[in-house]
Amino acid sequence: MRLKKRNKKILLSLLCVFSISTIVCGQENTVQVDSTNYERYVKSMPSFSMFGDNYFITGTSTNQEISSESSDAKFQLGFRQRLTDIDLPWDTFLYFTYRQKAFWDIYRDSFPFRETNYNPAIGVAKLFVDENGVTDGLWFTFEHESNGRDEENSRSWNFLSLQYFKLIGDKWLYRVKMWLPIGSLEDNPDITDFRGYFEAGATYSSSKNFYFDADLRQAFHNGWRGNIKLGASIKISKTSNQFLYIQYFGGYSEDLIDYNQDVSNLRLGIAFKDLFFNFKNRN
Protein backbone atom coordinates (compact mmCIF):
# COMPACT_ATOMS: atom_id res chain seq x y z
CA MET A 1 0.00 0.00 0.00
CA ARG A 2 2.80 2.45 0.91
CA LEU A 3 4.57 1.68 -2.38
CA LYS A 4 1.42 2.37 -4.40
CA LYS A 5 0.89 5.72 -2.64
CA ARG A 6 4.53 6.66 -3.22
CA ASN A 7 4.25 5.75 -6.91
CA LYS A 8 1.11 7.87 -7.28
CA LYS A 9 2.86 10.88 -5.70
CA ILE A 10 5.84 10.53 -8.02
CA LEU A 11 3.60 10.20 -11.08
CA LEU A 12 1.61 13.27 -10.00
CA SER A 13 4.80 15.32 -9.64
CA LEU A 14 5.91 14.09 -13.07
CA LEU A 15 2.68 15.27 -14.71
CA CYS A 16 2.70 18.61 -12.87
CA VAL A 17 6.29 19.55 -13.69
CA PHE A 18 5.97 18.43 -17.33
CA SER A 19 2.85 20.58 -17.62
CA ILE A 20 4.68 23.57 -16.10
CA SER A 21 7.63 22.96 -18.42
CA THR A 22 5.53 23.38 -21.54
CA ILE A 23 4.39 26.80 -20.28
CA VAL A 24 7.59 28.21 -18.73
CA CYS A 25 10.04 27.15 -21.43
CA GLY A 26 8.17 29.13 -24.05
CA GLN A 27 8.59 32.46 -22.29
CA GLU A 28 11.06 34.80 -23.95
CA ASN A 29 12.88 37.85 -22.64
CA THR A 30 11.97 40.86 -24.77
CA VAL A 31 14.02 43.52 -22.93
CA GLN A 32 17.05 44.67 -24.92
CA VAL A 33 20.00 44.58 -22.55
CA ASP A 34 22.90 46.99 -22.15
CA SER A 35 25.14 48.18 -19.30
CA THR A 36 22.51 50.61 -18.03
CA ASN A 37 19.52 48.29 -17.66
CA TYR A 38 21.00 45.03 -16.38
CA GLU A 39 18.68 44.98 -13.35
CA ARG A 40 15.60 45.57 -15.51
CA TYR A 41 16.75 42.83 -17.87
CA VAL A 42 17.10 40.25 -15.08
CA LYS A 43 13.74 41.23 -13.57
CA SER A 44 12.10 40.76 -16.96
CA MET A 45 13.24 37.14 -17.09
CA PRO A 46 10.76 34.53 -15.79
CA SER A 47 11.36 34.11 -12.05
CA PHE A 48 10.21 30.49 -12.32
CA SER A 49 11.67 28.27 -15.02
CA MET A 50 12.94 24.80 -15.78
CA PHE A 51 16.22 23.70 -14.26
CA GLY A 52 18.08 21.27 -16.48
CA ASP A 53 16.34 19.21 -19.11
CA ASN A 54 13.11 17.53 -18.05
CA TYR A 55 12.69 14.15 -19.71
CA PHE A 56 11.08 10.71 -19.69
CA ILE A 57 13.12 7.98 -21.38
CA THR A 58 13.20 4.19 -21.45
CA GLY A 59 15.77 1.64 -22.56
CA THR A 60 18.12 -1.10 -21.50
CA SER A 61 21.66 -1.95 -20.51
CA THR A 62 24.17 -2.29 -23.34
CA ASN A 63 26.43 -4.73 -21.49
CA GLN A 64 23.79 -7.21 -20.30
CA GLU A 65 21.26 -9.45 -21.99
CA ILE A 66 18.04 -7.55 -22.70
CA SER A 67 15.39 -8.48 -20.13
CA SER A 68 12.90 -6.97 -17.70
CA GLU A 69 15.69 -6.95 -15.12
CA SER A 70 18.11 -4.94 -17.26
CA SER A 71 15.53 -2.53 -18.76
CA ASP A 72 13.72 0.38 -17.14
CA ALA A 73 12.46 3.93 -17.48
CA LYS A 74 14.23 7.02 -16.20
CA PHE A 75 12.84 10.49 -15.75
CA GLN A 76 14.17 13.80 -14.51
CA LEU A 77 12.26 16.85 -13.32
CA GLY A 78 13.67 20.20 -12.28
CA PHE A 79 12.71 23.82 -11.69
CA ARG A 80 14.49 27.07 -10.79
CA GLN A 81 12.98 29.90 -8.73
CA ARG A 82 14.61 33.34 -8.49
CA LEU A 83 14.07 34.66 -4.97
CA THR A 84 15.52 38.19 -5.29
CA ASP A 85 16.03 40.78 -8.03
CA ILE A 86 19.59 42.18 -7.97
CA ASP A 87 19.50 43.57 -4.44
CA LEU A 88 22.58 41.61 -3.38
CA PRO A 89 26.26 42.69 -3.69
CA TRP A 90 27.93 42.48 -7.13
CA ASP A 91 24.57 42.35 -8.92
CA THR A 92 23.90 38.79 -7.76
CA PHE A 93 20.54 37.27 -6.93
CA LEU A 94 19.33 34.48 -4.67
CA TYR A 95 17.72 31.42 -6.21
CA PHE A 96 16.33 28.02 -5.27
CA THR A 97 16.47 24.90 -7.44
CA TYR A 98 14.99 21.45 -7.20
CA ARG A 99 15.82 18.37 -9.25
CA GLN A 100 14.32 14.90 -8.96
CA LYS A 101 15.56 11.84 -10.82
CA ALA A 102 13.77 8.48 -10.74
CA PHE A 103 14.40 4.98 -12.05
CA TRP A 104 11.20 3.05 -12.75
CA ASP A 105 11.10 -0.71 -13.44
CA ILE A 106 8.16 -0.52 -15.83
CA TYR A 107 8.91 -3.92 -17.37
CA ARG A 108 8.56 -5.81 -14.08
CA ASP A 109 5.42 -6.93 -12.27
CA SER A 110 3.72 -4.10 -10.31
CA PHE A 111 5.97 -1.47 -11.97
CA PRO A 112 8.04 -0.62 -8.86
CA PHE A 113 10.20 2.49 -8.57
CA ARG A 114 13.70 1.15 -7.95
CA GLU A 115 15.28 4.43 -6.88
CA THR A 116 14.39 8.12 -6.60
CA ASN A 117 16.96 10.84 -5.92
CA TYR A 118 16.08 14.30 -4.58
CA ASN A 119 18.34 17.32 -5.04
CA PRO A 120 17.19 20.67 -3.57
CA ALA A 121 19.65 23.58 -3.53
CA ILE A 122 19.89 27.26 -2.63
CA GLY A 123 22.54 29.73 -3.72
CA VAL A 124 23.49 32.98 -5.42
CA ALA A 125 23.97 33.60 -9.13
CA LYS A 126 25.71 36.21 -11.25
CA LEU A 127 24.86 36.67 -14.93
CA PHE A 128 27.10 38.34 -17.50
CA VAL A 129 25.40 39.91 -20.51
CA ASP A 130 26.00 41.80 -23.72
CA GLU A 131 23.61 43.44 -26.21
CA ASN A 132 22.34 40.01 -27.29
CA GLY A 133 21.56 38.68 -23.81
CA VAL A 134 23.22 36.28 -21.37
CA THR A 135 26.78 35.19 -22.24
CA ASP A 136 28.06 33.71 -18.95
CA GLY A 137 26.69 32.51 -15.65
CA LEU A 138 28.33 31.88 -12.27
CA TRP A 139 26.49 29.97 -9.54
CA PHE A 140 27.55 29.28 -5.93
CA THR A 141 25.24 26.83 -4.19
CA PHE A 142 24.56 24.72 -1.13
CA GLU A 143 23.11 21.39 -2.26
CA HIS A 144 21.56 18.38 -0.58
CA GLU A 145 21.08 15.04 -2.33
CA SER A 146 19.41 11.95 -0.92
CA ASN A 147 17.20 9.03 -1.88
CA GLY A 148 14.70 9.40 0.95
CA ARG A 149 15.27 5.89 2.28
CA ASP A 150 16.41 4.66 5.67
CA GLU A 151 18.79 2.22 7.36
CA GLU A 152 21.13 0.29 5.01
CA ASN A 153 19.44 1.73 1.87
CA SER A 154 19.90 5.35 2.91
CA ARG A 155 22.12 7.54 0.70
CA SER A 156 22.60 11.19 1.56
CA TRP A 157 25.18 13.96 1.39
CA ASN A 158 25.55 17.75 1.47
CA PHE A 159 28.00 19.78 -0.58
CA LEU A 160 28.96 23.26 -1.73
CA SER A 161 29.20 23.70 -5.50
CA LEU A 162 30.56 26.32 -7.88
CA GLN A 163 29.29 26.22 -11.44
CA TYR A 164 30.21 28.27 -14.52
CA PHE A 165 28.55 28.47 -17.96
CA LYS A 166 29.94 30.15 -21.08
CA LEU A 167 28.41 30.66 -24.51
CA ILE A 168 30.91 30.60 -27.40
CA GLY A 169 29.54 31.92 -30.66
CA ASP A 170 26.07 30.82 -31.72
CA LYS A 171 26.58 27.05 -31.52
CA TRP A 172 28.51 26.13 -28.36
CA LEU A 173 27.79 26.25 -24.65
CA TYR A 174 30.49 25.09 -22.20
CA ARG A 175 30.05 24.35 -18.50
CA VAL A 176 32.14 23.22 -15.55
CA LYS A 177 31.09 22.37 -12.00
CA MET A 178 33.14 21.70 -8.86
CA TRP A 179 31.93 20.60 -5.43
CA LEU A 180 33.16 20.02 -1.90
CA PRO A 181 31.31 17.71 0.55
CA ILE A 182 30.40 19.15 3.94
CA GLY A 183 29.04 17.40 6.99
CA SER A 184 28.67 13.67 7.48
CA LEU A 185 29.12 11.09 4.71
CA GLU A 186 28.05 8.22 6.96
CA ASP A 187 25.58 6.78 4.45
CA ASN A 188 28.13 6.74 1.62
CA PRO A 189 31.64 7.42 2.98
CA ASP A 190 33.45 6.73 -0.31
CA ILE A 191 31.08 8.56 -2.67
CA THR A 192 33.78 10.97 -3.89
CA ASP A 193 35.87 7.95 -4.96
CA PHE A 194 33.22 7.41 -7.64
CA ARG A 195 31.81 10.92 -8.19
CA GLY A 196 35.04 12.85 -7.84
CA TYR A 197 35.03 16.60 -7.25
CA PHE A 198 34.24 18.08 -10.66
CA GLU A 199 32.52 17.59 -14.01
CA ALA A 200 32.69 19.34 -17.36
CA GLY A 201 30.37 19.41 -20.32
CA ALA A 202 29.38 21.07 -23.57
CA THR A 203 26.30 21.52 -25.73
CA TYR A 204 26.48 21.88 -29.51
CA SER A 205 23.49 23.22 -31.41
CA SER A 206 23.51 23.50 -35.21
CA SER A 207 20.01 25.03 -35.13
CA LYS A 208 17.13 25.52 -32.73
CA ASN A 209 15.90 22.06 -33.76
CA PHE A 210 18.95 20.00 -32.74
CA TYR A 211 21.16 19.81 -29.62
CA PHE A 212 23.97 17.46 -28.69
CA ASP A 213 25.12 17.29 -25.06
CA ALA A 214 28.23 15.68 -23.60
CA ASP A 215 29.12 15.59 -19.90
CA LEU A 216 32.13 13.96 -18.26
CA ARG A 217 32.74 13.33 -14.57
CA GLN A 218 36.14 12.08 -13.40
CA ALA A 219 37.20 10.58 -10.08
CA PHE A 220 40.90 9.88 -9.57
CA HIS A 221 40.95 6.84 -7.31
CA ASN A 222 42.60 3.52 -8.19
CA GLY A 223 42.48 4.29 -11.89
CA TRP A 224 39.54 5.73 -13.85
CA ARG A 225 36.28 6.11 -12.01
CA GLY A 226 33.66 8.49 -13.25
CA ASN A 227 31.03 8.59 -15.96
CA ILE A 228 30.11 9.96 -19.34
CA LYS A 229 26.66 11.07 -20.41
CA LEU A 230 25.79 11.76 -24.05
CA GLY A 231 22.48 13.06 -25.33
CA ALA A 232 20.97 14.09 -28.67
CA SER A 233 17.72 16.08 -28.92
CA ILE A 234 15.69 16.58 -32.11
CA LYS A 235 12.74 18.96 -31.99
CA ILE A 236 9.38 17.32 -32.66
CA SER A 237 7.32 20.43 -33.41
CA LYS A 238 8.20 23.97 -34.46
CA THR A 239 5.63 25.41 -32.06
CA SER A 240 6.64 23.53 -28.88
CA ASN A 241 9.65 22.71 -26.72
CA GLN A 242 9.26 18.94 -27.07
CA PHE A 243 12.23 16.94 -28.33
CA LEU A 244 12.85 13.35 -29.28
CA TYR A 245 15.70 12.49 -26.91
CA ILE A 246 18.26 9.69 -26.86
CA GLN A 247 20.67 9.36 -23.93
CA TYR A 248 23.66 7.15 -23.19
CA PHE A 249 25.10 6.86 -19.68
CA GLY A 250 28.25 4.88 -18.94
CA GLY A 251 30.22 4.63 -15.70
CA TYR A 252 29.54 5.10 -12.02
CA SER A 253 26.93 6.92 -9.93
CA GLU A 254 23.96 7.20 -12.24
CA ASP A 255 21.86 6.85 -9.09
CA LEU A 256 22.63 7.08 -5.39
CA ILE A 257 21.72 3.59 -4.24
CA ASP A 258 24.27 1.98 -6.60
CA TYR A 259 26.76 4.84 -6.87
CA ASN A 260 29.68 2.36 -6.71
CA GLN A 261 28.38 0.15 -9.55
CA ASP A 262 29.59 0.48 -13.16
CA VAL A 263 26.65 0.66 -15.61
CA SER A 264 26.07 1.20 -19.32
CA ASN A 265 22.57 2.27 -20.36
CA LEU A 266 20.97 3.49 -23.59
CA ARG A 267 17.51 5.06 -23.42
CA LEU A 268 15.10 6.90 -25.76
CA GLY A 269 12.11 9.12 -25.08
CA ILE A 270 10.86 12.69 -24.91
CA ALA A 271 12.50 15.77 -23.38
CA PHE A 272 11.76 19.42 -22.64
CA LYS A 273 14.96 21.42 -23.10
CA ASP A 274 16.23 23.95 -20.56
CA LEU A 275 16.98 26.89 -22.87
CA PHE A 276 17.86 29.42 -20.17
CA PHE A 277 21.04 30.37 -22.07
CA ASN A 278 19.21 30.76 -25.39
CA PHE A 279 21.69 30.39 -28.23
CA LYS A 280 22.15 33.57 -30.26
CA ASN A 281 21.40 34.29 -33.92
CA ARG A 282 19.01 31.38 -34.39
CA ASN A 283 17.98 30.33 -37.89
Side-chain angles (χ1 to χ4, degrees):
M1 182 64 69
R2 288 183 179 179
L3 181 60
K4 290 183 178 179
K5 289 182 178 179
R6 178 169 176 261
N7 289 357
K8 287 181 180 178
K9 289 181 180 179
I10 295 176
L11 285 174
L12 181 60
S13 66
L14 174 65
L15 292 173
C16 288
V17 177
F18 271 16
S19 298
I20 292 171
S21 299
T22 60
I23 299 172
V24 173
C25 65
Q27 300 183 39
E28 295 183 359
N29 192 335
T30 57
V31 175
Q32 195 69 23
V33 66
D34 59 37
S35 59
T36 64
N37 70 345
Y38 173 77
E39 183 173 348
R40 178 169 170 250
Y41 175 79
V42 172
K43 287 183 177 180
S44 72
M45 301 170 69
S47 61
F48 181 83
S49 62
M50 288 200 324
F51 176 58
D53 294 346
N54 285 211
Y55 57 77
F56 184 95
I57 52 180
T58 180
T60 190
S61 172
T62 63
N63 58 3
Q64 300 181 49
E65 182 179 350
I66 297 177
S67 68
S68 61
E69 301 292 326
S70 62
S71 305
D72 66 2
K74 173 185 177 183
F75 65 80
Q76 177 174 286
L77 314 171
F79 67 85
R80 178 194 295 111
Q81 175 68 53
R82 189 175 71 249
L83 302 177
T84 61
D85 291 322
I86 317 302
D87 291 326
L88 300 178
W90 305 295
D91 290 332
T92 60
F93 55 89
L94 186 68
Y95 70 94
F96 172 81
T97 65
Y98 176 79
R99 179 176 286 157
Q100 180 175 315
K101 183 169 58 176
F103 299 84
W104 190 7
D105 289 333
I106 61 174
Y107 302 106
R108 300 178 62 184
D109 294 340
S110 78
F111 305 159
F113 280 88
R114 183 178 77 255
E115 171 78 344
T116 303
N117 297 157
Y118 309 92
N119 179 208
I122 190 166
V124 292
K126 167 69 177 178
L127 299 181
F128 302 89
V129 299
D130 62 14
E131 66 276 5
N132 295 311
V134 178
T135 61
D136 306 58
L138 189 63
W139 315 74
F140 179 70
T141 312
F142 169 78
E143 301 191 46
H144 169 78
E145 187 176 19
S146 65
N147 64 354
R149 302 170 74 173
D150 57 12
E151 298 181 354
E152 70 275 6
N153 291 319
S154 175
R155 302 288 185 272
S156 176
W157 68 319
N158 300 311
F159 55 98
L160 296 174
S161 66
L162 182 65
Q163 194 167 180
Y164 177 69
F165 298 85
K166 175 67 177 178
L167 272 165
I168 303 293
D170 60 350
K171 294 184 178 180
W172 287 97
L173 170 66
Y174 295 94
R175 53 189 170 271
V176 62
K177 181 178 181 179
M178 300 171 288
W179 53 84
L180 182 66
I182 57 175
S184 173
L185 294 177
E186 181 179 355
D187 292 337
N188 24 250
D190 61 345
I191 192 168
T192 55
D193 293 343
F194 299 88
R195 288 208 171 185
Y197 294 91
F198 74 95
E199 65 183 12
T203 295
Y204 170 77
S205 177
S206 57
S207 73
K208 62 183 178 180
N209 298 317
F210 175 79
Y211 296 85
F212 178 78
D213 303 292
D215 293 278
L216 176 66
R217 182 182 294 164
Q218 177 65 62
F220 298 100
H221 181 82
N222 294 335
W224 187 90
R225 285 182 180 175
N227 62 58
I228 184 170
K229 185 175 69 174
L230 305 174
S233 305
I234 302 174
K235 200 167 190 179
I236 297 174
S237 168
K238 293 182 178 180
T239 59
S240 72
N241 188 40
Q242 299 173 15
F243 289 79
L244 180 67
Y245 180 51
I246 184 170
Q247 182 193 94
Y248 170 77
F249 184 98
Y252 294 90
S253 199
E254 185 177 26
D255 59 29
L256 276 177
I257 191 66
D258 296 318
Y259 69 89
N260 56 2
Q261 302 297 313
D262 190 5
V263 302
S264 178
N265 294 312
L266 183 65
R267 301 182 179 96
L268 175 69
I270 188 171
F272 301 90
K273 293 292 292 180
D274 178 6
L275 301 177
F276 180 77
F277 282 91
N278 289 317
F279 286 80
K280 304 173 187 176
N281 305 320
R282 279 291 168 223
N283 296 323

